[in-house]
Amino acid sequence: AKDYELRQYETAKWVSTVIKGETQKESMRQGFWKLFHYIQGKNEKEMKIDMTVPVTCLVKSGCADFKISFFVPFEHQDSPPQPTDSDVFIEERKAAAIFVRSFGGFASPEKYAEEAEALARVLKNRGQPFHEDFFYTAGYDSPFKLFNRHNEVWYFKK
């Protein structure tokens, strides 16, 4: 479909942290830095790990906790170094079919919410079953990239 795509993701490990009781924007900022310190060597092996994309944020309806995650690079998928910060953890996300809507520009929490609403509307109109109680935001660019930015919202197919 022109307004979204359906992707199949394999099981994969992500390094994540949950920020509670902050705005989504502030949670993203705090979460990003916790995870950035992990890839800079704040882990059991004191190993530097390449930054990967996307950076995701789990947004649940009516919930003020946000889970921020970095994808663990392929070469570390089998045994990622364990975090030394107790707020940071490795999680395995199961293989899933995901509805994806892409958009450009600088994404704010409001813009992500607007795009997620638009995707949900299209999926409902097309009779596509999906988990409506949460979505992920996915950012692919450094904050310093000014043009041709790529952002996504993801809903998991039921």
Side-chain angles (χ1 to χ4, degrees), residues 12-13 45 72-82 90 92:
K13 292 190 179 91
K45 296 180 183 167
V72 172
F74 292 110
E75 63 268 25
H76 299 293
Q77 279 287 319
D78 288 341
S79 61
Q82 287 305 304
I90 304 292
E92 185 171 270

Side-chain angles (χ1 to χ4, degrees), residues 32-83:
F32 178 90
W33 285 110
K34 281 183 177 291
L35 299 174
F36 187 76
H37 292 309
Y38 166 81
I39 66 170
Q40 287 297 298
K42 195 172 180 185
N43 57 62
E44 281 181 350
K45 296 180 183 167
E46 296 184 353
M47 179 190 287
K48 279 195 178 214
I49 299 169
D50 290 337
M51 175 81 204
T52 59
V53 291
V55 175
T56 64
C57 177
L58 173 61
V59 180
K60 295 182 196 166
S61 317
C63 180
D65 299 351
F66 298 97
K67 182 170 64 177
I68 319 306
S69 307
F70 286 2
F71 178 76
V72 172
F74 292 110
E75 63 268 25
H76 299 293
Q77 279 287 319
D78 288 341
S79 61
Q82 287 305 304

Side-chain angles (χ1 to χ4, degrees), residues 10-29:
E10 297 307 313
T11 297
K13 292 190 179 91
W14 295 70
V15 59
S16 302
T17 187
V18 175
I19 307 294
K20 298 173 186 299
E22 295 288 350
T23 63
Q24 186 177 345
K25 188 172 185 166
E26 180 58 20
S27 295
M28 282 293 295
R29 191 188 70 74

